[in-house]
């Protein structure tokens, strides 16, 4: 699998959340074929560069591309809401070295410093909820709640935790939450890709359906923002408040609808 040929000039930057936005396992195929046709057209007519911006890690992401039978690769992938990759000429994913190196160093330093405060928070969560705390090599601290309500409650406790850890960031996706440094999220990664391509927010499009998309659905990063009809209320409200496009259709067909409505028009 390769990416599309480079456009003469990169004019638009398009960022797509994966799960629940572009990709829906209940649809067959999980990404609608008209999405890929639309991308090819926008590439040819508007020099569009596209990014999949996801919380998935590399293995899970590649699984998704194969499972949805992508006919070609995106120009960039943001993984774990923080690291940036692009495919080389052989279709192998290569990390954007300086950004990913800084990201890794910043997180190592942050988690070293945050260890006692996170350990105390873990005790509390395990005592007061039925949520599960996750910790392994590539995921220093994450929580899986039993349901949305439990995660809503956990999120209300995070502002207090941030008082002792001002650099604390977190990415929530329904009942899942991952801790990290506050400077790394879908918005900062998208802004970095835009900076490298010299594409302004006026010609940056972003679409997502969940909490971890809110930071890229931000006019400082993207002026063309959208969500599919299945997005959570908080996302719909933010998109509508900034004059974005709340699609009438869900998932991938909502993505195509939003692209047709917003990209390539002045
Ligand atoms: Mg999503």
């Amino acid at each position: 699998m390769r990416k599309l040929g480079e456009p003469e000039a990169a004019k638009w930057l398009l960022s797509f959340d994966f799960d629940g936005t572009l990709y829906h396992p209940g649809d067959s195929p999980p990404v609608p074929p008209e999405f890929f046709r639309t991308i090819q057209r926008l590439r040819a007519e508007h020099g569009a560069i596209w990014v999949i911006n996801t919380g998935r890690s590399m293995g899970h992401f590649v699984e998704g591309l194969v499972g949805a039978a992508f006919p070609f690769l995106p120009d960039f992938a943001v993984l774990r809401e923080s690291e940036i990759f692009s495919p080389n000429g052989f279709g192998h994913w290569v990390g954007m070295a300086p950004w990913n190196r800084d990201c890794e160093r910043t997180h190592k330093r942050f988690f070293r410093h945050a260890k006692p405060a996170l350990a105390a928070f873990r005790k509390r969560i395990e005592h007061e909820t039925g949520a599960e705390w996750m910790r392994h090599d590539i995921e220093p601290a994450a929580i899986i709640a039993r349901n949305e309500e439990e995660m809503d409650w956990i999120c209300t406790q995070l502002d207090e935790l941030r008082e002792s850890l001002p650099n604390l960031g977190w990415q929530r996706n329904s009942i899942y939450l991952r801790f990290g440094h506050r400077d790394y999220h879908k918005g900062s990664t998208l802004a970095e890709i835009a900076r490298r391509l010299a594409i302004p927010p006026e010609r940056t499009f972003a679409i997502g359906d969940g909490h971890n998309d809110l930071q890229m659905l931000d006019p400082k990063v993207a002026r063309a923002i959208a969500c599919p009809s299945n997005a959570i209320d908080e996302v719909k409200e933010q998109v509508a408040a900034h004059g974005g496009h709340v699609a009438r259709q869900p998932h991938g067909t909502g993505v195509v609808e939003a692209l047709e409505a917003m990209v390539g028009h002045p």
Side-chain angles (χ1 to χ4, degrees), residues 17-22 173 186 208-213 230:
D17 167 49
F18 196 64
D19 293 283
T21 301
L22 196 53
N173 196 1
K186 290 190 179 193
D209 71 318
H211 287 106
N212 63 346
D213 298 306
N230 56 287

Side-chain angles (χ1 to χ4, degrees), residues 205-221:
F205 167 93
I207 185 164
D209 71 318
H211 287 106
N212 63 346
D213 298 306
L214 288 166
Q215 285 151 310
M216 72 167 170
L217 301 173
D218 176 340
K220 287 198 287 294
V221 178

Side-chain angles (χ1 to χ4, degrees), residues 18-37:
F18 196 64
D19 293 283
T21 301
L22 196 53
Y23 177 93
H24 178 54
D27 290 344
S28 181
V31 179
E34 62 260 44
F35 169 75
F36 298 105
R37 287 196 292 272

Side-chain angles (χ1 to χ4, degrees), residues 146-200:
R146 288 172 301 179
N147 50 51
E148 295 276 351
E149 292 69 35
E150 189 169 67
M151 187 52 88
D152 286 343
W153 184 83
I154 291 169
C155 287
T156 63
Q157 306 305 302
L158 291 172
D159 290 330
E160 202 182 307
L161 179 60
R162 195 179 246 170
E163 279 172 28
S164 57
L165 291 174
N167 285 328
L168 179 73
W170 60 86
Q171 297 302 327
R172 175 181 178 182
N173 196 1
S174 81
I175 60 163
Y176 304 95
L177 185 139
R178 158 185 297 135
F179 288 107
H181 189 282
R182 67 184 303 165
D183 290 349
Y184 290 88
H185 46 74
K186 290 190 179 193
S188 58
T189 47
L190 181 57
E192 171 64 10
I193 295 169
R195 187 189 67 78
R196 293 178 73 106
L197 297 168
I199 296 178

